[in-house]
Amino acid sequence: MAQRLIVIGGDAAGMAAASQARRRRDRGDLEIVAFERGHYTSYSACGIPYWISGLVPERDELIARDPMTFRESFDIDVRLRHEVTSIDLDRREVVARDLDRGGEVRERFDTLMYAAGAVPVRPEWARTGAGGVFGIQTLDDGAALRDWLEAEPPPRRAVVIGGGYIGVEMAEAMIQRGLSVTLVEQSEQPMSTVDPDMAELVSGAMRALGVTIRTGLTVTGLQERDGRVSAVVTADGPIPADVVVLGLGVRPNTALAAAAGLPLGPVGGIRVDRRMRVPGVPDVWAGGDCVECLHRVSGLPVHVPLGTHANKQGRVAGINIGGGYATFAGVIGTAVTKVCDLEVGRTGLRERDAAAAGFDFVSVIAESTNRAGYYPGARPMTVKLIAEKPSGRLLGAQIVGWSEAAKRIDTLAVALWNGMTVDDMTALDLGYAPPYAPVWDPVLIAARRAVDALAATGR
Amino acid sequence: MAQRLIVIGGDAAGMAAASQARRRRDRGDLEIVAFERGHYTSYSACGIPYWISGLVPERDELIARDPMTFRESFDIDVRLRHEVTSIDLDRREVVARDLDRGGEVRERFDTLMYAAGAVPVRPEWARTGAGGVFGIQTLDDGAALRDWLEAEPPPRRAVVIGGGYIGVEMAEAMIQRGLSVTLVEQSEQPMSTVDPDMAELVSGAMRALGVTIRTGLTVTGLQERDGRVSAVVTADGPIPADVVVLGLGVRPNTALAAAAGLPLGPVGGIRVDRRMRVPGVPDVWAGGDCVECLHRVSGLPVHVPLGTHANKQGRVAGINIGGGYATFAGVIGTAVTKVCDLEVGRTGLRERDAAAAGFDFVSVIAESTNRAGYYPGARPMTVKLIAEKPSGRLLGAQIVGWSEAAKRIDTLAVALWNGMTVDDMTALDLGYAPPYAPVWDPVLIAARRAVDALAATGR
């Protein structure tokens, strides 16, 4: 008799695991049932801001693989609009509620893949039920926001709360739709995923785009009129709003897992081993935005909810469930984003992370250009490096620039991944031609600067 | 009394060495005299095609630092239009001819930096003296070609001989100036710096641009009329030409060095050690297009005339001359170029190099896109990887694509530099956001493909 794999969560990690398991074990050997609470499988949540802005015209473009494909090509029993409400590890079964038709189903499993994703952070004040307040986590969230923006009369004033990636991207999307936009950030600066000196460049670009940035400001509530949001209340007074977008971050969706007794780690995600197995719980695997994983530089557990990790982790789990061998090697915190034409990349530790992890370090900033200075379209590029003292080992890097800047972070990410020192990095053989780089690539210039800074400390 | 450094060659390697030596030793300690045969110092030869095309409007934009800067800011005695004609290692002196005013100067040295660059390959038939035949090595070459193109009546038909980087870039430049262009290549394909399957993509782009490509064709002579070139003669008959551009490659400029007894290596360049010292010859250093250096993957000596290496090697020599310690770590063959909007990058070994070096390997090609498929402006990108069998160690990589493709080779170059296996590469934490990459970056997709190919061999 076939064994049975139950997958909880039909997005990147869950469906990657299911597909990989299927590649190695056919239906006669392994039945696969995937429960997904929403209306879609495997879509690009990261693409939602571009759908809202209109840059991506159709919602369906964000869907990588639809349920039909999984059913027909992978023989995976995908059940949409089914929310798993309990896991019984002893009886090896789950209970799921049919959200559309009501009622419950109970399904046994031999193997469980927990990939329930993340839930958006929602303070008490955000739970008013007032119209015009939106998170941006699911395609349904996006659809609701688009409908609101297209109603008559259209909203004019948007307030985005939270200046992380989603907040910044959504502020830009709202500007592109013609709204006046205020970004409210609790800390000193938006885009705190990079150090303040680099984040200031991003703030400048957002202001140039027309975004009003209010920093150091805590939101305490929402005002509403006739069931619709009318203002965001802050310590500094109300900010009028016809639409409010919440970009307050997410946390691992672990309620169900915790209730079932799966172990959580120090940063609140499900604990997994290198193979994405939940330690101490036989035949239970997890991956994606619900787990925490190892930061290779700090050595500490981190929660980094990104589609790229979810896909890798799901693939690793699926290969292992399928009888193969794969491990997830951890993350180094690489991320890229875009604010109008300003590109931002980061990898490794920021200064504050390096200090918190106990490293002694130098940091340098090098100004350069993306192309040879004389080549048309040459634009400024700022590269920041953080290097351990006295070893010179690269600990982190950040890039802000106007064109072909963001993905240059990958060059630094691979150097960091391999534990290179900035000394060794000055020797790297990187591509040079006038349309692509000055004769000393910005990465090399920054590495040289870091070597000089280390020398100046006497090491 | 101050010691004296003589630098032969005032371009990238020579002037980088001079500047670095000066940073560490002031005039009272070290006099520096640099002889340069041409009219300029430290210019971007790689930029000449873009000046010819008109993309870079002014010649002076290609000059990184002029002689005045070296004289005033670095206290370096730069002597332009001075050609060194002999080196006497026993008497520690050089003789230089003043090319403009005639006469010779004789200068003693304690330390010598040989940075005479490369000389273009010129078959007998190319030395006719006919008007309208141009190499593209120096700014003077470029100026002469520009004058020819701007004469009345303007030339209409260009023949570019040789399909390497310069040939391909010059063919494009001629098209952009409105000429009809034929590219003649002796081998089966232009752009043989990448494997034939990848080069075919480049040929396609060139044809789409309007370039006529003639391959497998050997040039045997030039026809001229009234002292001007009128056709290129080949085994297949003459090809009419009003202007001929020679892109036949370069070889190390070693005549003077060899006459003085400096040791040459197996690929014809001056031999140097890790510190850019000429072995066995006290206080003589060399760098740039005249030397050969170590290929870190094959372990063999190679001659790679590129400004980026010349700058690094000059800097290393200068630091050592200045009393510091630096080494040149070798090259891995990274290069990038552009044909209209098609971008090409390569690093490491091609299939033929890997075979010649004795490696057993697999090679894979992965088709992907530069951005998330749904993001506007997503364009195809082709990544080829060559991986050792059975170890999986990356040996080489090539990328061809339409946008933000070329510099992605740096990601692979750093992986190669660090000896990564394709297995390990599948785990790399690279930047993901819809404007910059699909959720599986093209580099990761290619690495996965290579792992599959290795598995299929049973390793």
Side-chain angles (χ1 to χ4, degrees):
Chain A
M1 190 178 115
Q3 286 204 308
R4 173 177 273 202
L5 165 66
I6 298 262
V7 177
I8 300 177
D11 203 351
M15 297 319 290
S19 311
Q20 287 292 331
R22 174 58 76 229
R23 276 183 66 179
R24 291 161 178 268
R25 297 174 67 179
D26 65 19
R27 192 198 174 88
D29 182 36
L30 185 73
E31 285 176 25
I32 306 179
V33 180
F35 291 109
E36 163 57 40
R37 182 171 58 178
H39 291 92
Y40 310 96
T41 48
S42 292
Y43 60 89
S44 172
C46 342
I48 295 175
Y50 309 105
W51 173 44
I52 302 295
S53 73
L55 203 56
V56 175
E58 297 297 332
R59 180 189 60 195
D60 286 358
E61 297 183 59
L62 301 182
I63 300 174
R65 275 184 186 154
D66 61 20
M68 195 74 88
T69 306
F70 286 112
R71 286 183 192 121
E72 295 185 352
S73 305
F74 291 85
D75 210 350
I76 294 167
D77 178 6
V78 177
R79 307 205 194 155
L80 296 180
R81 298 291 290 156
H82 277 70
E83 178 168 22
V84 174
T85 53
S86 73
I87 302 168
D88 188 328
L89 291 175
D90 295 326
R91 299 179 59 176
R92 311 301 279 178
E93 61 182 35
V94 301
V95 175
R97 192 167 55 218
D98 183 330
L99 297 177
D100 287 334
R101 278 164 291 188
E104 284 186 350
V105 293
R106 185 174 294 265
E107 296 283 356
R108 69 161 189 91
F109 63 84
D110 299 287
T111 303
L112 183 71
M113 172 72 194
Y114 188 91
V119 288
V121 171
R122 289 285 175 273
E124 191 55 43
W125 55 255
R127 301 184 198 142
T128 68
V133 181
F134 300 93
I136 301 296
Q137 217 216 353
T138 65
L139 284 182
D140 290 337
D141 293 338
L145 172 54
R146 275 187 70 121
D147 287 347
W148 187 265
L149 294 174
E150 282 159 12
E152 286 298 336
R156 291 182 301 107
R157 299 162 304 181
V159 175
V160 176
I161 304 176
Y165 292 115
I166 289 290
V168 166
E169 287 162 7
M170 285 306 301
E172 182 182 357
M174 293 289 155
I175 287 278
Q176 284 171 351
R177 291 194 67 116
L179 282 80
S180 80
V181 179
T182 301
L183 178 77
V184 180
E185 164 63 37
Q186 191 164 9
S187 73
E188 291 308 300
Q189 230 169 9
M191 194 52 73
S192 62
T193 52
V194 293
D195 284 325
D197 43 10
M198 301 295 276
E200 185 50 41
L201 301 173
V202 182
S203 293
M206 294 186 69
R207 286 192 201 97
L209 196 65
V211 176
T212 301
I213 301 179
R214 304 280 303 270
T215 58
L217 200 55
T218 303
V219 173
T220 55
L222 298 175
Q223 287 178 358
E224 50 183 286
R225 190 180 303 139
D226 305 330
R228 300 163 65 98
V229 69
S230 62
V232 171
V233 183
T234 75
D236 254 18
I239 305 171
D242 306 317
V243 57
V244 171
V245 176
L246 304 172
L248 297 163
V250 298
R251 53 179 180 72
N253 184 9
T254 55
L256 184 62
L262 300 186
L264 303 187
V267 294
I270 294 171
R271 286 180 53 213
V272 287
D273 68 10
R274 283 275 173 136
R275 295 181 73 177
M276 305 309 295
R277 196 162 32 192
V278 179
V281 188
D283 298 313
V284 176
W285 307 76
D289 293 357
C290 59
V291 306
E292 55 185 59
C293 59
L294 172 73
H295 195 295
R296 292 170 62 96
V297 184
S298 69
L300 301 171
V302 287
H303 177 237
V304 184
L306 272 179
T308 179
H309 303 322
N311 269 289
K312 285 199 190 94
Q313 292 170 343
R315 178 171 174 270
V316 165
I319 289 172
N320 289 318
I321 292 169
Y325 177 81
T327 60
F328 182 72
V331 303
I332 56 174
T334 311
V336 290
T337 191
K338 190 171 195 295
V339 183
C340 44
D341 289 333
L342 191 67
E343 305 190 356
V344 184
R346 56 150 289 164
T347 189
L349 306 181
R350 296 166 297 184
E351 290 192 31
R352 82 195 78 159
D353 306 319
F359 287 108
D360 200 359
F361 60 88
V362 299
S363 67
V364 295
I365 285 188
E367 303 288 351
S368 179
T369 54
N370 59 333
R371 305 174 179 185
Y374 58 79
Y375 195 89
R379 300 292 303 271
M381 185 181 305
T382 306
V383 179
K384 177 170 189 169
L385 299 185
I386 297 164
E388 187 183 26
K389 195 172 78 176
S391 72
R393 180 161 69 105
L394 184 66
L395 296 176
Q398 296 160 32
I399 301 182
V400 175
W402 289 97
S403 176
E404 290 158 73
K407 277 296 267 183
R408 267 173 152 103
I409 202 69
D410 287 351
T411 307
L412 291 157
V414 180
L416 181 65
W417 186 275
N418 286 284
M420 290 188 84
T421 64
V422 288
D423 309 79
D424 285 344
M425 286 168 59
T426 63
L428 283 170
D429 185 359
L430 304 180
Y432 164 61
Y436 302 121
V439 69
W440 286 99
D441 189 273
V443 165
L444 300 176
I445 293 173
R448 284 176 55 180
R449 191 72 48 88
V451 171
D452 289 346
L454 285 162
T457 67
R459 287 204 166 185
Chain B
M1 189 177 116
Q3 287 205 308
R4 174 177 271 202
L5 166 66
I6 298 260
V7 177
I8 300 177
D11 203 353
M15 298 318 290
S19 312
Q20 287 293 331
R22 174 58 76 230
R23 276 182 67 178
R24 290 161 179 266
R25 296 173 67 178
D26 65 20
R27 193 198 172 87
D29 183 36
L30 186 72
E31 286 175 25
I32 307 179
V33 180
F35 291 110
E36 164 57 40
R37 182 170 59 176
H39 291 91
Y40 311 96
T41 47
S42 291
Y43 61 88
S44 172
C46 341
I48 295 175
Y50 309 105
W51 173 43
I52 302 296
S53 73
L55 203 56
V56 175
E58 296 297 332
R59 180 189 60 194
D60 287 359
E61 297 182 60
L62 301 181
I63 300 174
R65 275 184 185 153
D66 61 21
M68 194 74 90
T69 305
F70 286 113
R71 288 183 192 120
E72 295 185 352
S73 305
F74 291 86
D75 210 350
I76 294 167
D77 179 4
V78 178
R79 306 204 195 155
L80 295 180
R81 298 291 289 157
H82 276 69
E83 179 168 22
V84 175
T85 53
S86 74
I87 303 168
D88 187 328
L89 290 175
D90 294 327
R91 300 178 59 175
R92 311 302 279 177
E93 61 181 36
V94 302
V95 176
R97 190 166 56 217
D98 183 331
L99 296 177
D100 287 335
R101 279 165 290 188
E104 284 186 350
V105 293
R106 187 174 292 267
E107 296 283 356
R108 71 161 188 91
F109 63 84
D110 299 288
T111 303
L112 184 71
M113 173 71 194
Y114 188 91
V119 287
V121 171
R122 289 286 175 271
E124 192 55 43
W125 55 256
R127 300 182 198 144
T128 68
V133 182
F134 301 92
I136 301 296
Q137 216 215 353
T138 66
L139 284 183
D140 291 337
D141 293 339
L145 172 55
R146 275 187 70 120
D147 288 347
W148 187 265
L149 295 174
E150 282 160 13
E152 287 297 336
R156 292 182 301 106
R157 298 161 306 181
V159 176
V160 175
I161 305 176
Y165 292 116
I166 290 290
V168 166
E169 287 162 8
M170 285 306 302
E172 181 181 357
M174 294 289 156
I175 287 278
Q176 283 171 351
R177 291 195 67 116
L179 282 80
S180 81
V181 178
T182 302
L183 178 76
V184 180
E185 165 63 37
Q186 191 163 10
S187 74
E188 291 307 300
Q189 229 169 10
M191 194 53 71
S192 61
T193 52
V194 292
D195 284 325
D197 42 11
M198 302 295 274
E200 186 50 42
L201 301 173
V202 182
S203 293
M206 294 185 69
R207 286 192 201 99
L209 196 64
V211 176
T212 301
I213 301 178
R214 305 279 302 269
T215 57
L217 200 57
T218 302
V219 173
T220 56
L222 299 175
Q223 286 176 359
E224 51 184 284
R225 189 180 305 140
D226 306 329
R228 301 163 65 97
V229 70
S230 61
V232 171
V233 182
T234 74
D236 253 18
I239 305 171
D242 306 317
V243 58
V244 171
V245 176
L246 304 172
L248 297 163
V250 298
R251 54 181 180 72
N253 183 10
T254 54
L256 184 61
L262 300 187
L264 304 187
V267 293
I270 295 171
R271 286 180 53 210
V272 286
D273 69 10
R274 281 276 172 137
R275 295 181 73 177
M276 304 310 295
R277 197 162 32 193
V278 179
V281 189
D283 298 314
V284 176
W285 308 75
D289 292 357
C290 59
V291 306
E292 55 185 58
C293 60
L294 173 74
H295 195 295
R296 292 168 64 97
V297 185
S298 69
L300 301 172
V302 286
H303 177 236
V304 184
L306 272 180
T308 179
H309 303 322
N311 269 289
K312 285 200 191 94
Q313 292 170 342
R315 177 171 175 270
V316 165
I319 289 172
N320 288 318
I321 291 168
Y325 177 81
T327 60
F328 182 73
V331 304
I332 56 173
T334 311
V336 290
T337 191
K338 191 172 196 294
V339 183
C340 44
D341 290 333
L342 190 68
E343 306 190 357
V344 184
R346 54 150 288 166
T347 191
L349 307 180
R350 294 166 297 185
E351 289 192 32
R352 81 194 79 158
D353 307 318
F359 287 108
D360 200 359
F361 59 88
V362 298
S363 67
V364 294
I365 284 187
E367 304 286 350
S368 179
T369 53
N370 58 334
R371 305 174 179 185
Y374 58 79
Y375 194 89
R379 300 292 303 272
M381 184 181 306
T382 306
V383 179
K384 177 170 188 168
L385 298 185
I386 297 165
E388 187 183 27
K389 196 172 77 175
S391 72
R393 180 161 69 104
L394 184 66
L395 297 175
Q398 297 159 33
I399 302 181
V400 174
W402 288 98
S403 177
E404 290 159 73
K407 278 295 268 183
R408 267 173 153 102
I409 202 70
D410 287 352
T411 306
L412 290 157
V414 180
L416 182 64
W417 186 276
N418 285 285
M420 290 188 84
T421 64
V422 289
D423 309 79
D424 285 344
M425 286 169 58
T426 63
L428 283 170
D429 184 358
L430 304 180
Y432 164 61
Y436 302 121
V439 70
W440 287 98
D441 189 272
V443 165
L444 301 177
I445 293 173
R448 284 175 57 180
R449 192 72 48 90
V451 171
D452 289 347
L454 284 162
T457 68
R459 288 206 166 183

